Amino acid sequence: MRIETSVTRLLGIDLPILLAGMSWVTSNAALPLAVSRAGGLGVIAAGPMYPEALEEAIDTVRRGTDRPFAVNMPLYRKGAEEILDLLEAKRIPVLIASQGGPQKYLDRFKAIGTTCMHVVASEAHAVKAAQKGVDGLIVVGGEAGGHPPAELVSTLVLVRAVAKATQGKIPLVASGGFADGNGLAAALSLGAGAANFGTRFIATPEAGVSEGYKQAVIDAGVADTRTVGRGLGMIRTLSNDFAEEMAALELAAAPEERRRAVFSASTLKMAAFDGDLARGKLEAGQSAGLVGRLMPAGEIVAEIARDYAVCIGDLPQPAE
Ligand SMILES: Cc1cc2nc3c(=O)[nH]c(=O)nc-3n(C[C@H](O)[C@H](O)[C@H](O)COP(=O)(O)O)c2cc1C
């Protein structure tokens, strides 16, 4: 099946389905490879990866498919310059940069033909990044797992606002809250050319996180996430001992040093790698409540596309 949009044309993919770059979850070859092979865009999350592991993952994806894939690069990460040099040397087809401004990478990657997408979480940043000349924007709304926008503006409102502000001049990917074909239909109706799927792909055999983390996503309901760490790099995470402690400190307006101490004692790695479900950062979006079971990533892509077709076929048509 093919569903053609501004984003599939930009990226050279069959389906407007992107695997969201997620530290640990997609910091491997298996998950991005499965998504790219199925016709979406697989994304390797470089955030926590050593250069050697990243290079190996890029090579493995390339050996496994000749379809496009991307690397997600948080520009604030330690050793960012070295990683950017590596990505340039590997001439990756698509770069998805988050945090920081496009001037840090744009000219050098455009010069080698890499498609440059930038992650934004506000209208102002979207307009600025578009003016700087990035090829596409990933617009992250408040439902998202990981780092949602500070004011938690919902994806429904933010994507629409960015679509109006950018007037169809740049392809948009909607991110945050999408889990199935109905979600994809919603994203395209808002003016995006694709949806980014994060939390949905945590519940896959290919995801690089502990089995307990995957099960916690499957078990969660739509109201089981919390946003904690306001002012400290806020995250949306599943409720657990860590999140409850942070929420209680925030409610009590505890001093910043105390909140920072608790916030930084917990990491995503603890949940993802060590399987510490009580004290780790179990980052996930509200869409966890829409995830019902573990499924291979390629099957998820195919199911989203099929359900999208059914969904748009079922939409009521206006009559005179
Ligand atoms: C566990 C986890 C890790 C994430 N890591 C990153 C990251 O390294 N870089 C990034 O740009 N976004 C990251 N995100 C945000 C996702 O790219 C995406 O915006 C979000 O998952 C979309 O919302 P959804 O989970 O409802 O699909 C992460 C999200 C999660 C859930």
Side-chain angles (χ1 to χ4, degrees), residues 16 26 30 35 86 89 97-98 118 145-146 173 193 198 200 203 209 253 264 293 303:
T26 77
V35 172
L86 169 68
S98 49
H118 202 80
V173 177
R200 175 78 197 263
V209 298
S264 53
R293 66 188 176 96
E303 185 187 89

Side-chain angles (χ1 to χ4, degrees), residues 20-23 25 72 98 140 144-146 175-177 197-199 213 283-285 287:
M22 290 178 284
S23 292
V25 182
N72 167 239
S98 49
V140 181
S175 187
F197 294 82
T199 300
Y213 196 147
E283 295 178 30
S287 60

Side-chain angles (χ1 to χ4, degrees), residues 142-145 176-180 199 216-227 236-239 284-292:
E143 296 91 324
F178 301 106
D180 56 23
T199 300
V217 165
I218 292 167
D219 293 343
V222 291
D224 289 341
T225 66
R226 281 185 174 282
T227 49
R236 185 178 288 286
T237 173
L238 296 180
S239 295
Q286 293 176 332
S287 60
L290 302 173
V291 179

Side-chain angles (χ1 to χ4, degrees), residues 162-174:
V162 170
K164 284 178 155 181
T166 54
Q167 299 173 322
K169 289 184 186 139
I170 184 165
L172 305 178
V173 177

Side-chain angles (χ1 to χ4, degrees), residues 281-318:
K281 286 183 172 135
L282 271 175
E283 295 178 30
Q286 293 176 332
S287 60
L290 302 173
V291 179
R293 66 188 176 96
L294 193 83
M295 260 174 87
E299 287 179 27
I300 291 179
V301 174
E303 185 187 89
I304 292 171
R306 271 196 318 273
D307 289 352
Y308 166 82
V310 173
C311 171
I312 58 165
D314 285 348
L315 286 177
Q317 296 300 310

Side-chain angles (χ1 to χ4, degrees), residues 24-300:
W24 293 97
V25 182
T26 77
S27 299
N28 62 19
L31 182 47
L33 181 54
V35 172
S36 283
R37 271 188 178 150
L41 185 78
V43 179
I44 303 170
M49 296 177 88
Y50 290 116
E52 306 72 41
L54 178 58
E55 184 167 14
E56 175 61 33
I58 292 170
D59 291 345
T60 306
V61 172
R62 277 212 163 107
R63 278 195 299 274
T65 183
D66 52 12
R67 294 180 177 210
F69 66 93
V71 176
N72 167 239
M73 176 65 197
L75 296 167
Y76 65 78
R77 75 154 268 176
K78 217 169 105 204
E81 268 312 311
E82 188 188 348
I83 299 288
L84 286 171
D85 288 347
L86 169 68
L87 299 180
E88 185 181 352
K90 302 301 281 184
R91 303 178 82 89
I92 55 162
V94 183
L95 175 67
I96 297 178
S98 49
Q99 325 271 346
Q103 68 281 0
K104 284 195 176 149
Y105 64 87
L106 198 59
D107 291 348
R108 61 198 275 204
F109 281 90
K110 297 269 287 193
I112 58 166
T114 296
T115 301
C116 295
M117 313 272 294
H118 202 80
V119 177
V120 294
S122 74
E123 274 167 279
H125 285 152
V127 169
K128 223 163 147 184
Q131 281 167 352
K132 294 259 187 255
V134 300
D135 298 304
L137 297 172
I138 299 194
V139 184
V140 181
E143 296 91 324
H147 296 286
E151 298 312 327
L152 295 175
V153 178
S154 71
T155 309
L156 184 72
V157 171
L158 188 61
V159 172
R160 199 61 213 123
V162 170
K164 284 178 155 181
T166 54
Q167 299 173 322
K169 289 184 186 139
I170 184 165
L172 305 178
V173 177
S175 187
F178 301 106
D180 56 23
N182 294 66
L184 176 57
L188 300 193
S189 346
L190 293 175
N196 208 23
F197 294 82
T199 300
R200 175 78 197 263
F201 283 105
I202 298 177
T204 58
E206 296 94 340
V209 298
S210 63
E211 295 309 307
Y213 196 147
K214 297 177 189 182
Q215 194 58 47
V217 165
I218 292 167
D219 293 343
V222 291
D224 289 341
T225 66
R226 281 185 174 282
T227 49
V228 296
R230 185 164 285 279
L232 306 171
M234 184 176 68
I235 54 163
R236 185 178 288 286
T237 173
L238 296 180
S239 295
N240 65 359
D241 291 353
F242 153 72
E244 295 310 315
E245 185 178 356
M246 273 308 295
L249 289 172
E250 287 172 349
L251 194 65
E256 184 180 326
E257 317 85 82
R258 176 81 190 109
R259 287 183 284 118
R260 189 180 292 282
V262 173
F263 194 68
S264 53
S266 173
T267 62
L268 175 59
K269 183 182 178 204
M270 281 162 58
F273 187 72
D274 308 327
D276 186 346
L277 304 185
R279 300 296 320 174
K281 286 183 172 135
L282 271 175
E283 295 178 30
Q286 293 176 332
S287 60
L290 302 173
V291 179
R293 66 188 176 96
L294 193 83
M295 260 174 87
E299 287 179 27
I300 291 179

